[in-house]
Amino acid sequence: MPEVRERSGAPVRRERFIAGNWKMNKGASESLEFLRKLSVLLEQGEDIPDAVNMALFPQAVNIIPMADHIRSSGVNVLLGIQNIHCKPSGAFTGENSIPCAIEAGAKLALVGHSERRHIFREDDLLVSNKYLACLEQGIEPLLCVGETEEERNRGLTKDVIERQVSSVFSSDRVIMAEQERILIAYEPVWAIGTGMNATAGDARECCALIRDLLSGLGGPSLAARSLISYGGSVKSSNSEDYLEQEEIDGLLIGGASLDPDEFYRIICNAF
Ligand code: PGA
């Protein structure tokens, strides 16, 4: 695993994962304009260590033009799809299949994002089936977990995280030993798109809990290789607070990732 060095020269413990979730925003031309601006910033700025993984989750219809641009420009950004169906093909009007997402250029898939869980009523079983479908069909899943405001007020944060993580990984269909690493984002629902971000300390505790759960389910070595991110109203002005926490490897950024300058500043804060 490549070693990331901080600006101070001290080694960073793990790889970094900085991802933008664009949700239902940006058409093709705006998406390409973003990539052009980001490429210029990356070329003109400091060298970004290879161990800083950069990813974007655009609308599915924009993956093909973005992947073409990434191939020709060489900008080191992974693309992901925001939602997939479990079945590889069939009569599921409006859904995206994993093989087609891969063919389009997606390497990652969001699974269990709070907007899917709460607006589209995806329950733990569906999330776990989608996670398994990703593994079986060859795209890397990024599992999102997190409590609602009501659950938080009732003191249920840890229970919710535990339930959401174990419903995916306790399933005997997900063979943890076969996974090189696991990508999870802790995103408290009340912090998403609200400007009310979790404190760095609370985010650290929840990410540590997730790593402990992974360790219990898949062993300490898998847990140590896994990348656990925080998401919820992250911007360049608070990103460092999270990334300087031992247990937080990365960030999943919604609103602030729509602006290339802001996304670039967050990337620069990651090493
Ligand atoms: P936000 O969204 O950064 O706009 O709060 C985060 C997310 O939904 O992943």
Side-chain angles (χ1 to χ4, degrees):
M1 180 186 295
E3 188 180 72
V4 193
R5 290 203 161 265
E6 289 189 15
R7 283 144 196 264
S8 64
V12 170
R13 202 159 63 92
R14 271 186 282 272
E15 290 193 53
R16 294 299 198 192
F17 184 81
I18 307 295
N21 174 12
W22 285 357
K23 311 189 182 188
M24 206 172 69
N25 294 296
K26 289 193 192 293
S29 52
E30 234 190 302
S31 304
L32 294 178
E33 187 51 27
F34 178 105
L35 283 180
R36 274 191 282 275
K37 284 197 182 146
L38 183 65
S39 313
V40 171
L41 292 166
L42 291 170
E43 266 163 36
Q44 291 175 350
E46 299 176 59
D47 284 346
I48 309 293
D50 285 347
V52 179
N53 299 269
M54 297 179 272
L56 289 170
F57 292 84
Q59 295 193 70
V61 288
N62 293 326
I63 292 176
I64 291 179
M66 288 181 74
D68 285 345
H69 185 280
I70 286 171
R71 260 190 301 274
S72 58
S73 66
V75 57
N76 194 13
V77 174
L78 292 170
L79 291 178
I81 188 158
Q82 295 174 16
N83 179 39
I84 47 86
H85 193 275
C86 297
K87 292 275 192 304
S89 64
F92 301 103
T93 303
E95 292 293 288
N96 297 302
S97 81
I98 296 171
C100 293
I102 294 171
E103 189 183 340
K107 304 269 188 262
L108 301 161
L110 283 183
V111 176
H113 187 276
S114 82
E115 284 147 23
R116 300 293 322 170
R117 289 183 193 262
H118 298 287
I119 304 174
F120 299 99
R121 304 257 177 268
E122 294 193 3
D123 60 12
D124 288 338
L125 179 63
L126 180 56
V127 170
S128 132
N129 286 339
K130 286 189 173 192
Y131 192 94
L132 181 68
C134 288
L135 297 184
E136 286 175 347
Q137 296 172 47
I139 198 165
E140 188 171 21
L142 164 53
L143 175 69
C144 303
V145 298
E147 81 287 1
T148 61
E149 185 168 24
E150 195 217 324
E151 288 163 339
R152 179 187 186 225
N153 293 341
R154 288 168 55 209
L156 296 175
T157 298
K158 291 188 172 160
D159 296 338
V160 171
I161 294 174
E162 200 164 333
R163 193 200 74 227
Q164 292 179 341
V165 169
S166 44
S167 73
V168 171
F169 297 106
S170 310
S171 142
D172 49 11
R173 298 169 309 156
V174 172
I175 319 257
M176 293 187 80
E178 286 175 3
Q179 292 186 65
E180 209 176 292
R181 64 178 185 182
I182 287 166
L183 301 178
I184 298 192
Y186 166 59
E187 297 203 301
V189 180
W190 50 270
I192 295 180
T194 58
M196 298 193 319
N197 46 301
T199 64
D202 285 351
R204 185 199 58 234
E205 260 186 46
C206 292
C207 291
L209 168 66
I210 292 169
R211 205 177 303 279
D212 281 351
L213 292 168
L214 290 181
S215 181
L217 292 160
S221 137
L222 176 64
R225 301 196 295 276
S226 296
L227 297 178
I228 302 173
S229 301
Y230 166 75
S233 298
V234 172
K235 35 192 187 297
S236 63
S237 56
N238 61 21
S239 61
E240 265 174 303
D241 299 345
Y242 297 108
L243 292 170
E244 75 199 3
Q245 308 296 320
E246 266 282 288
E247 288 298 333
I248 304 181
D249 302 315
L251 299 167
L252 181 57
I253 311 137
S257 72
L258 295 168
D259 172 7
D261 292 299
E262 183 66 354
F263 190 59
Y264 175 71
R265 281 192 287 271
I266 297 174
I267 291 166
C268 291
N269 286 344
F271 63 97

Coordinates of all heavy atoms in Angstrom, one line a residue, residues 19-21 23 110 113-115 144 185 187 191-195 231-235 252-257, ligand 1:
A19 N -14.3 11.8 -1.9 CA -15.3 11.5 -2.9 C -16.4 12.6 -2.9 O -16.8 13.0 -1.9 CB -16.0 10.1 -2.7
G20 N -16.8 12.9 -4.1 CA -17.9 13.9 -4.3 C -19.2 13.2 -4.8 O -19.1 12.5 -5.8
N21 N -20.3 13.4 -4.1 CA -21.6 12.8 -4.5 C -22.4 14.0 -5.0 O -22.8 14.8 -4.3 CB -22.3 12.2 -3.2 CG -23.7 11.8 -3.5 OD1 -24.1 11.7 -4.7 ND2 -24.4 11.5 -2.5
K23 N -25.2 13.9 -6.6 CA -26.7 13.7 -6.5 C -27.3 14.0 -7.8 O -26.7 13.7 -8.9 CB -27.2 14.5 -5.3 CG -26.4 14.2 -4.0 CD -27.0 14.8 -2.8 CE -26.1 14.5 -1.7 NZ -26.7 14.9 -0.4
L110 N -22.4 3.6 -4.9 CA -22.9 4.0 -3.6 C -24.0 3.0 -3.3 O -24.9 2.7 -4.1 CB -23.5 5.4 -3.6 CG -22.7 6.6 -3.6 CD1 -23.5 7.9 -3.5 CD2 -21.7 6.6 -2.4
H113 N -27.0 4.9 0.6 CA -27.0 6.4 0.9 C -28.3 6.8 1.6 O -29.4 6.2 1.3 CB -26.8 7.2 -0.4 CG -26.6 8.6 -0.1 ND1 -27.7 9.5 0.1 CD2 -25.5 9.4 0.1 CE1 -27.2 10.7 0.4 NE2 -25.9 10.7 0.4
S114 N -28.2 7.7 2.5 CA -29.4 8.0 3.3 C -30.6 8.5 2.5 O -31.8 8.2 2.8 CB -29.1 9.1 4.4 OG -29.2 10.3 3.8
E115 N -30.3 9.1 1.3 CA -31.4 9.6 0.5 C -32.1 8.3 -0.1 O -33.3 8.3 -0.3 CB -31.0 10.6 -0.6 CG -30.7 11.9 0.1 CD -29.6 12.8 -0.5 OE1 -29.2 12.6 -1.7 OE2 -29.1 13.7 0.2
C144 N -23.0 3.3 2.8 CA -23.2 4.5 3.7 C -24.1 4.1 4.8 O -25.1 3.3 4.6 CB -23.9 5.6 2.9 SG -23.1 6.2 1.5
A185 N -18.9 4.9 4.5 CA -19.0 6.3 4.9 C -20.0 6.4 6.0 O -21.2 5.9 5.9 CB -19.5 7.1 3.7
E187 N -22.4 8.7 7.6 CA -23.1 9.9 7.3 C -24.3 10.1 8.1 O -25.4 9.5 7.8 CB -23.5 9.9 5.8 CG -22.3 9.9 4.9 CD -22.7 10.4 3.5 OE1 -23.6 9.9 2.9 OE2 -22.1 11.4 3.1
A191 N -27.1 15.5 9.3 CA -26.0 16.4 8.9 C -25.9 16.5 7.4 O -25.1 17.3 6.9 CB -24.7 15.8 9.4
I192 N -26.7 15.7 6.7 CA -26.6 15.7 5.2 C -27.3 16.9 4.6 O -28.6 17.0 4.8 CB -27.0 14.4 4.6 CG1 -26.1 13.3 5.1 CG2 -27.1 14.5 3.1 CD1 -26.4 11.9 4.6
G193 N -26.6 17.8 4.0 CA -27.2 18.9 3.3 C -27.8 20.0 4.2 O -28.6 20.8 3.8
T194 N -27.5 19.9 5.5 CA -28.2 20.8 6.4 C -27.2 21.9 7.0 O -27.7 22.8 7.6 CB -28.6 20.0 7.7 OG1 -27.5 19.4 8.2 CG2 -29.7 19.0 7.3
G195 N -25.9 21.7 6.7 CA -24.9 22.7 7.3 C -24.7 22.3 8.8 O -23.9 23.0 9.4
G231 N -19.2 11.8 6.2 CA -19.9 12.7 5.3 C -21.0 13.4 6.0 O -21.7 12.8 6.9
G232 N -21.3 14.6 5.6 CA -22.4 15.4 6.2 C -21.9 16.8 6.3 O -21.2 17.1 7.3
S233 N -22.3 17.7 5.4 CA -22.0 19.1 5.4 C -20.4 19.4 5.5 O -20.0 20.3 6.2 CB -22.7 19.8 6.5 OG -24.1 19.7 6.3
V234 N -19.7 18.6 4.8 CA -18.2 18.8 4.8 C -17.9 19.9 3.8 O -18.5 19.9 2.7 CB -17.5 17.5 4.3 CG1 -16.0 17.8 4.1 CG2 -17.6 16.4 5.4
K235 N -17.0 20.8 4.1 CA -16.5 21.8 3.2 C -15.1 22.0 3.5 O -14.5 21.4 4.4 CB -17.3 23.1 3.3 CG -17.8 23.5 4.7 CD -18.8 24.6 4.6 CE -19.2 25.1 5.9 NZ -19.9 24.2 6.8
L252 N -17.0 11.9 2.3 CA -17.9 11.9 1.2 C -18.6 13.2 1.2 O -19.3 13.6 2.3 CB -18.9 10.7 1.4 CG -20.0 10.5 0.4 CD1 -19.4 10.3 -1.0 CD2 -20.8 9.3 0.7
I253 N -18.5 14.0 0.1 CA -18.9 15.4 0.1 C -20.0 15.6 -0.9 O -19.9 15.2 -2.0 CB -17.7 16.2 -0.2 CG1 -16.5 15.9 0.6 CG2 -18.0 17.7 -0.1 CD1 -15.2 15.8 -0.2
G254 N -21.1 16.2 -0.4 CA -22.2 16.5 -1.4 C -22.1 17.9 -1.9 O -21.3 18.1 -2.8
G255 N -22.8 18.8 -1.4 CA -22.9 20.2 -1.9 C -21.5 20.8 -2.2 O -21.3 21.4 -3.3
A256 N -20.5 20.7 -1.3 CA -19.3 21.4 -1.6 C -18.5 20.7 -2.7 O -17.6 21.4 -3.3 CB -18.4 21.3 -0.3
S257 N -18.8 19.5 -3.1 CA -18.1 18.9 -4.2 C -18.5 19.3 -5.6 O -17.9 19.0 -6.6 CB -18.2 17.3 -4.1 OG -19.5 16.9 -4.5
Ligands
PGA1 P1 -23.6 17.1 2.0 O1 -24.0 15.7 1.4 O2 -22.1 17.2 2.0 O3 -24.2 18.1 1.0 O4 -24.1 17.2 3.4 C1 -23.2 14.5 1.8 C2 -23.8 13.3 1.1 O5 -25.0 13.2 0.8 O6 -23.1 12.3 0.8

